[in-house]
Each structure stands twice: as structure tokens, then as C-alpha cells.
Amino acid sequence: MAKLALTLAISDYDHTRDLASGRVTVEGCELTVLEFPVEEIFYRFTLHREWQVSEMSFAKFVAQVAGERPDIVGLPVFPSRVFRLSNIYVNAGAGIEQAADLRGKRIGTPEWAQTASVYTRGWLVEEAGVALDEVDWRQAGVNQPGRLEKVALHLPDGVRLTPEPKRSLGEMLAAGDLDAVFSAHPPEVFLQGDPRVRRLFADYQGVEQAYYERRGIFPIMHVIALRRDVFDANPWVAGNLLSAFGEARDRSVARCTDLTASRIPVPWLCDTVERRQRQFGADYFPYGIEPNRRTLETFLRWCFEQGVTRRLLDVAELFPASVAGAFKV
């Protein structure tokens, strides 16, 4: 029997590298792996579905599942997880010293349906007490003009979102035409050390750790999406892909904890892993539904409240029932 030919597009992660290299195989499949920057992957798959399996922005994935393009199913594989209070950049002269100072300000976002911004806005409302309609929101590319939303929005009443197609967020922030920017990708002006732009939280890791301890939310940025036509014709593919991604991640964790040699060039990496295991549990970068239910449910609620989805999704709508659990020996 011939193997099923699949093409996967994914960015370069250590925890997926053994799958991309072929050292880990997907049972029953002949896998071709394309590695691109995430922005290119998201653009080409979200709009055009150019391949069968894809890394995808979590917000765009849930927006399409809840909207007019429910032709994809998810795998509970989360290639990128990043706490997002580091992504609040402010104009140094805007008088923003704490989160509450964002009330009434002009805040830029690359896309309203950018996953990182969904998490940051959720934090803004629930932790800082700033309502969405108390901000003047602007949308533009981080460093290049002309970036557009890729999914339909259903903004709540009173929320103002103004596109700025001829300027970039970094340019406007440095010039003082924006007071703050929420962006996963740092503005170039910040990376270049422009004194007019700084992070809201210099010690963002401390703030993020305290937030995790209070809420138990470990933000999921990206998900693996499978075209529904492939799944409907070959329902076994979902479970086989999930197993392969899990094995590749386990191999990466083993490299991080190898004291014999420095597999990854970070000093004291093994100690870092041990501390994170004490904080997050032995499975500190979990795949699957149940270990991530709190984060998944909170994110779906925020997507609905912020108008990224037109209805409130249930977690069960994201993933096939066949990958909801796992066999035990």
C-alpha cells in the first residue's frame, strides 16, 4: 500500500526538528516539510490552503473554524507558546508607567486577530481593568505599511479600530502618533535602541510568572491545522501526526536535559529545565487537550468577547474526537 503524501509547512523549532529531518516519521505517510517564517506560512495557508498540514496562528484558526471557512481541523500540538506581557511597547514620552495608564491611549496592533494581541488585550481587561472601548485602537504592519487583517472581525459595540495602511506601527510609536503597541514582533525602532520606545515592563518575566501563578494560563500562540478534506478521507492521519509531533518534542526535551554535552548552546540549560518542571510540572510544554483546557477555554472566551469569533466556541469544536485522549499501556 502506498503511503499518503502530505506536505507540512512549519517554522524551524528544535521540538519539531526531528520530524522535519525525517528522524521521526509519521506512520503511513510520506511527509514533505516546508520551512518558512511564520508570517509567510500564516498568510499562504490562512488565505489559500496551499498545503495539507500547517502551523497556524491560533486566533486565525479559531476565527475560521467559527466562521465561513470551517474546512480545517486542529491537532492539539502547540509549536509556539510565549507569555506576552513582553510585547507591550510604549512611547517614552506618553506618560505610561503602569498598565492602568493605557486607558484612553492610542494603541497599535498588527492585526486585531493576532494571537499575541488577543492574550494581551485579555490581560488588559481582566488584570489592568481597562475596557476595550476605553482605547483608541489602530491597525498597521509592525515595520512595513500595508498589512491587512486576514479574517473577518465582529468587533464589540463601541470598540474603535482604525486601519493605518500607509504607515507602520514602529514609525507611529517613535513619532508619538501612537502611545503604545501590542505586537509579537518587536518594532525595529525598539531593536535598534531608539530611546523614544521602551517596554512597559522592564522585568516582564517577573510580571509574567506572577500572572501564571495567579491564573494558570500558559499562552498558546500556534496550533497545527489539518485540511478537513484530508482528515475526512483519512481519519487515522490526525492520531499519527499527533504521535509523531509528540515524539519529536520528547527528543528535544531529552536534548535540553542532557548533561553529558551541551546540545543547545545555553548555559545551565538543564537547571533551567528543572526549575520550569517544578513550576509547570514534569510535562512543562504539554500537547493535548486536558493539560491545556484552562488556557484553551480562556482564549476561546477572549476571542468571542473581542470579536475575533462571531460565536463562542467549545474546545471540542477545535479538535477531532479521536485525538481528545490517549491510549494507556
Side-chain angles (χ1 to χ4, degrees):
M1 180 179 175
K3 292 186 176 181
L4 178 67
L6 290 179
T7 298
L8 161 70
I10 194 165
S11 194
D12 182 22
Y13 301 98
D14 188 80
H15 47 282
T16 62
R17 193 163 296 156
D18 285 357
L19 181 61
S21 70
R23 287 189 288 269
V24 171
T25 60
V26 181
E27 185 69 25
C29 297
E30 188 69 38
L31 192 66
T32 298
V33 178
L34 307 176
E35 290 186 349
F36 300 122
V38 292
E39 292 88 354
E40 181 174 355
I41 294 171
F42 297 169
Y43 178 85
R44 293 173 64 178
F45 189 76
T46 301
L47 295 180
H48 305 298
R49 303 286 197 260
E50 292 187 37
W51 35 77
Q52 293 93 353
V53 191
S54 190
E55 181 178 5
M56 194 172 182
S57 154
F58 196 28
K60 292 174 181 59
F61 170 78
V62 300
Q64 292 199 329
V65 168
E68 291 73 31
R69 293 198 69 185
D71 58 342
I72 47 178
V73 298
L75 302 179
V77 173
F78 311 115
S80 179
R81 309 183 71 140
V82 184
F83 289 95
R84 284 306 188 191
L85 299 185
S86 63
N87 77 325
I88 304 176
Y89 302 92
V90 300
N91 180 281
I96 301 172
E97 301 299 330
Q98 56 187 352
D101 296 333
L102 292 166
R103 181 177 288 106
K105 295 296 193 288
R106 300 161 298 177
I107 302 179
T109 182
E111 296 177 34
W112 189 261
Q114 183 187 64
T115 306
S117 291
V118 172
Y119 280 103
T120 311
R121 291 193 300 265
W123 165 86
L124 181 70
V125 172
E126 297 188 359
E127 298 291 316
V130 178
L132 295 179
D133 60 6
E134 294 181 298
V135 170
D136 180 3
W137 298 99
R138 309 293 179 89
Q139 181 270 321
V142 184
N143 297 312
Q144 295 177 305
R147 183 166 174 171
L148 302 175
E149 292 282 349
K150 299 177 183 63
V151 296
L153 300 177
H154 311 273
L155 295 177
D157 291 342
V159 173
R160 307 179 308 280
L161 176 64
T162 305
E164 297 278 2
K166 297 182 178 180
R167 303 181 71 187
S168 72
L169 297 179
E171 170 196 351
M172 290 188 285
L173 184 61
D177 296 326
L178 287 177
D179 303 300
V181 164
F182 293 176
S183 172
H185 195 104
E188 286 180 0
V189 289
F190 173 79
L191 296 176
Q192 293 166 356
D194 191 317
R196 297 173 294 177
V197 177
R198 61 174 176 82
R199 280 194 170 101
L200 173 59
F201 298 115
D203 177 27
Y204 59 83
Q205 183 174 335
V207 179
E208 290 169 345
Q209 285 190 182
Y211 177 63
Y212 174 76
E213 290 167 4
R214 285 197 310 276
R215 298 292 303 274
I217 295 170
F218 184 4
I220 293 168
M221 294 291 114
H222 305 166
V223 68
I224 298 298
L226 172 65
R227 281 195 346 218
R228 183 172 289 279
D229 63 323
V230 177
F231 173 74
D232 287 344
N234 310 276
W236 52 269
V237 167
N240 290 13
L241 281 167
L242 178 59
S243 295
F245 274 106
E247 183 180 346
R249 181 208 53 187
D250 292 346
R251 287 172 173 234
S252 175
V253 171
R255 287 192 287 272
C256 291
T257 55
D258 185 358
L259 282 172
T260 305
S262 52
R263 307 295 178 188
I264 297 174
V266 178
W268 297 295
L269 179 61
C270 187
D271 175 69
T272 298
V273 171
E274 290 173 354
R275 284 189 280 118
R276 296 306 168 224
Q277 287 176 326
R278 289 194 294 271
Q279 182 177 15
F280 290 86
D283 187 6
Y284 62 89
F285 204 89
Y287 294 165
I289 296 173
E290 291 310 318
N292 295 289
R293 181 168 291 279
R294 178 178 296 182
T295 297
L296 292 169
E297 290 179 343
T298 300
F299 184 75
L300 292 178
R301 176 171 58 81
W302 284 345
C303 282
F304 175 62
E305 292 172 352
Q306 297 176 21
V308 174
T309 58
R310 63 180 180 181
R311 62 185 179 87
L312 178 60
L313 286 169
D314 186 89
V315 173
E317 297 181 72
L318 304 183
F319 310 108
S322 59
V323 297
F327 69 88
K328 304 292 184 181
V329 177

